[in-house]
Amino acid sequence: MNGDQLTRADAPAAVVAGVGGHVPSGVLTNDDLSARLDTTDDWIRSRTGIARRRVAPRGTATSDLAVAAGRRALRSAGSPTVDAVLVATMTPDHQAPATAPEVAARLGLGDVAAFDVGAMCSGFLYGLGVASGLIAGRVAGRVLLIGAEVLTTVVDPEDRTVAALLADGAGAVVLRAGTPDEPGAVGRVVLGSDGTRGELLKIPGGGSRERQSGHPPTPGSAYFRMRGREVFRQAVERMSDASRAALEAAGWKSGDVDRLAAHQANARILAALGTELDIPAERQLSNIAGTGNTAAASVPLLLADSARDGELRPGHRLLLTAFGGGLTWGATTLVWPDVVPGH
Ligand code: UT7
């Protein structure tokens, strides 16, 4: 876990200066899914809390959603200038190069540093850790951090469980150098992983392991595979532990948290997490019913939606947490600043 010895008291903190979200216009309802798969609206709603999800039209790639969300976050921040662009995604446009340089170019940001963060659904929390480090180390003064996914491209059309969960979207924040005690300052970012359980959430194909196997790709190896029940248990446990560590670093008790912004994986995971942390539903932000699970885009999109809807207000003490494949997880705290989501 992140050691105190790494913290330099005089290092600048990463401070949220802008936020924006973007979802594609396509809507896929539970009834749409049950028309072609052996599932029902009732099963999906009761087991996941999802009623409908956003889907990107044919021809729309992750960078397209990332550019739209990034533009909104830059508008929200009131300045079109950053020193680095990070795109957290598990559905990059290409296996190489990274998606971030193209996003930076299309946003007209010049020849800034740009790279992707690969931590599946924890990507935004990992990105916050990386951005905090870039700012603390004075590598960058302003960072655009985007979570973006076109997850429907990795859904096996025959897999009713995964099809019910995954969706497309993007969310972004602009982070600027500031002081640790000002609103918007990102607290200690607690990160962790457990590679011994990598099999629980995986896209098995498309990489060097498959190419070096000496066999042609297995049909369906480019689809997302998940062992749902075990993932559920791990998600609750890991997000709870990371959240407790982040709260302790901030000197907060769970009663101090005004809003919990957790990865929107499944409404039942969110309920179990709330019970573990003693944060009731009225202090939890949620958009999963209409947005589904958008992996690395989930937390920043939730922040943008909640700020727009007035559920998240300036001065709210916010706990953020996420869990994803790897396994990976993360959590941090911040006091929500006076920012208006960009449109
Ligand atoms: O973002 C991180 C990645 N993913 C997650 O965080 C997902 C974590 N896991 C979950 O959200 C839940 O485990 C699921 C929603 C995936 C599944 O819910 P569950 O309550 O754990 O169900 P289950 O896997 O234990 O399956 C219960 C039953 C099974 O049938 P049998 O074996 O009891 O006859 C499944 O085959 O539900 C069946 N089932 C479905 N039935 C109708 C699974 N998917 C569906 C479906 N419609 N879409």
Side-chain angles (χ1 to χ4, degrees), residues 1-2 119 121-129 188-193 234-235 237-246 260-263 273 277 299 319-325 327-333:
M1 232 151 255
N2 319 350
C121 303
S122 310
F124 183 73
L125 265 293
Y126 267 69
L128 282 179
R188 167 90 56 83
V189 185
V190 175
L191 300 173
S193 75
Q234 286 288 324
E237 189 182 319
R238 300 303 195 173
M239 284 196 284
S240 301
D241 288 349
S243 294
R244 287 189 193 102
L260 170 65
H263 168 46
L273 182 63
L277 295 174
V299 171
L319 170 64
L320 302 110
T321 187
F323 169 88
L327 305 176
T328 54
W329 56 85
T332 193
T333 55

Side-chain angles (χ1 to χ4, degrees), residues 213-237:
S213 70
H215 306 291
T218 315
S221 67
Y223 291 135
F224 177 77
R225 305 290 173 202
M226 169 182 85
R227 302 226 299 263
R229 219 178 289 186
E230 287 154 271
V231 171
F232 191 114
R233 234 187 344 264
Q234 286 288 324
V236 175
E237 189 182 319

